[in-house]
Amino acid sequence: MTSLSSTSAHPFFASALLEWYPRHRRDLPWRHTRDPYAIWLSEVILQQTRVKQGLPYYLDFVTTYPTVQELAAAPEDEVMRHWQGLGYYSRARNMHHTAKQVTSEFGGQFPGSYDGLLQLKGVGQYTAAAIASFAYDEQVAVLDGNVYRVLARVFGISADIAAPASRKVFQQLADSLIPAASPAEFNQAIMEFGAIQCTPLKPDCLFCPLQGQCFAFQHGMVQELPVKSKAKAARTRYFHYMVLRYEDTVYLRKRTEKDIWQGLYDFALTETDGPNLPPTDLLDAVEALGGKLDTNSVEEPAYAARHVLSHQKVEARFHPVWLEAPLPAAALTASGLAAFTSAEIEQLPKAVLISNYLGRPSF
């Protein structure tokens, strides 16, 4: 059931936020520009990422690639390496593709309207609204997790924010609240209000300027709103990495399949249904790759590590394997593996799990 009981908040809402925002906003670099490219970068990086974590990446990208043309011209592996550690790597691939699209189809200029921005790959309703309002002062409301939470609490909306059908309810309300005179300031204000005042677990209701009009506060429902159905339980996957080494080189391959970490580099991999890989199966897997184990340089037990993603957990074991001879060319072609020196590996984009393993003192 959806309620908009706090209709008294409508005329007061925007003015209260616009009065609150200048006194409380954080000083963030993307708030000092109207450049749609810089704003777009910040929005892509900050999706599903906290500001504290995303800020260094934003500064790195705007320094390394000051223009959309320079980002478009960069090799994908280089872009992925700069993104390394942020997760959700499809965002980086889409970002790179969008930069190429802006350069080739739009003459290096971002479309100047909300509808035009939606033509870009990887630019959805939220990102388009953010760019359109922040760069072009278009009167279109943003809708992210912070905005959902503020609107649900203040106006008593119990629609499940995880349900696609609920978006229309929240979007219509947000669009009715955004003032024509200051769309950029309003959008920044409501997102910032959700980020530092109307927070998920411990909102600062005592000093909230909307306290008197807030449905959730007045009805003791602050912890119940917004309503969000639980995601499916994360599944566990068991990865056994064969760290194939010959002299001063290590064999890695680029993950090209549509799976986690697509476009990043890791080692030869065997995935199993359980945590253990018998030594005979490890030997068979190495031989299947065309390798011959140097029995004088066996390193066991395997190093174990866990990596938790949004919808799955990876239980990984790394099995160092020293080879008697380099892998033959035919085996490299079939497996996608290639030999890299330590200096070359440093330049490759890798998942945090792989980087952490390579960064161990004993490697």
Side-chain angles (χ1 to χ4, degrees):
M1 180 178 177
T2 298
S3 169
L4 294 175
S5 301
S6 292
T7 52
S8 63
H10 276 264
F12 182 71
F13 187 81
S15 60
L17 286 183
L18 291 173
E19 183 180 341
W20 173 92
Y21 180 59
R23 299 198 306 268
H24 298 89
R25 65 185 174 190
R26 292 166 292 181
D27 185 18
L28 301 171
W30 47 84
R31 290 179 174 162
H32 299 285
T33 180
R34 290 279 186 161
D35 179 6
Y37 169 65
I39 293 168
W40 167 70
L41 275 182
S42 72
E43 293 301 334
V44 174
I45 289 171
L46 292 176
Q47 286 173 24
Q48 299 164 305
T49 303
R50 296 185 305 275
V51 168
K52 184 178 180 180
Q53 182 189 9
L55 179 56
Y57 286 88
Y58 170 81
L59 296 174
D60 176 48
F61 267 92
V62 295
T63 301
T64 308
Y65 311 113
T67 66
V68 68
Q69 292 91 339
E70 287 169 282
L71 177 57
E76 182 180 289
D77 280 358
E78 181 184 290
V79 173
M80 297 296 282
R81 181 170 58 81
H82 282 280
W83 189 272
Q84 186 174 305
L86 261 183
Y88 298 95
Y89 289 93
S90 60
R91 289 185 293 165
R93 290 191 298 274
N94 286 338
M95 182 179 73
H96 195 212
H97 180 98
T98 302
K100 292 180 178 181
Q101 184 184 3
V102 170
T103 300
S104 62
E105 297 179 23
F106 296 90
Q109 300 295 318
F110 276 76
S113 69
Y114 173 78
D115 290 337
L117 289 161
L118 287 174
Q119 300 175 49
L120 301 177
K121 179 179 174 65
V123 173
Q125 292 171 289
Y126 164 75
T127 305
I131 300 171
S133 61
F134 301 156
Y136 309 129
D137 268 328
E138 187 171 347
Q139 189 183 3
V140 54
V142 296
L143 204 59
D144 70 351
N146 289 319
V147 178
Y148 273 117
R149 184 168 56 259
V150 172
L151 295 179
R153 285 174 173 168
V154 173
F155 295 95
I157 305 175
S158 57
D160 181 1
I161 65 172
S166 299
R167 181 180 181 89
K168 185 177 180 181
V169 174
F170 284 92
Q171 190 69 60
Q172 287 178 339
L173 175 58
D175 286 338
S176 74
L177 296 167
I178 186 170
S182 50
E185 191 86 348
F186 174 84
N187 279 337
Q188 293 279 17
I190 191 171
M191 288 194 293
E192 191 76 334
F193 190 79
I196 65 177
Q197 180 88 29
C198 192
T199 55
L201 298 179
K202 295 181 179 179
D204 188 8
C205 296
L206 184 61
F207 296 102
C208 177
L210 293 168
Q211 182 194 99
Q213 289 76 29
C214 178
F215 180 93
F217 182 80
Q218 297 297 330
H219 293 80
M221 295 180 64
V222 172
Q223 296 305 321
E224 283 71 42
L225 294 174
V227 174
K228 184 177 182 180
S229 56
K230 291 184 178 180
K232 293 180 181 179
R235 67 180 176 124
T236 300
R237 300 174 68 180
Y238 300 95
F239 285 10
H240 291 271
Y241 281 119
M242 293 166 282
V243 186
L244 305 175
R245 307 180 71 171
Y246 176 72
E247 295 184 346
D248 61 347
T249 61
V250 183
Y251 289 90
L252 291 91
R253 51 110 195 202
K254 188 173 186 177
R255 294 177 63 89
T256 56
E257 61 272 22
K258 290 191 184 235
D259 194 0
I260 58 172
W261 306 325
Q262 183 182 357
L264 305 185
Y265 285 77
D266 64 2
F267 306 109
L269 172 63
T270 294
E271 186 170 355
T272 59
D273 294 330
N276 297 316
L277 182 68
T280 53
D281 290 357
L282 174 62
L283 182 60
D284 290 344
V286 172
E287 291 181 349
L289 290 168
K292 189 171 171 98
L293 182 67
D294 181 355
T295 55
N296 294 320
S297 302
V298 175
E299 293 183 25
E300 289 288 347
Y303 172 77
R306 171 183 293 178
H307 194 80
V308 180
L309 302 165
S310 57
H311 301 298
Q312 53 189 286
K313 300 173 185 175
V314 175
E315 298 283 354
R317 292 196 177 185
F318 295 83
H319 305 269
V321 177
W322 290 89
L323 302 173
E324 283 190 347
L327 291 178
L332 297 179
T333 301
S335 65
L337 291 166
F340 297 94
T341 64
S342 296
E344 291 169 334
I345 291 173
E346 186 69 25
Q347 300 304 311
L348 299 176
K350 305 167 289 291
V352 171
L353 181 71
I354 304 300
S355 289
N356 289 345
Y357 175 78
L358 290 167
R360 294 165 62 240
S362 58
F363 183 78

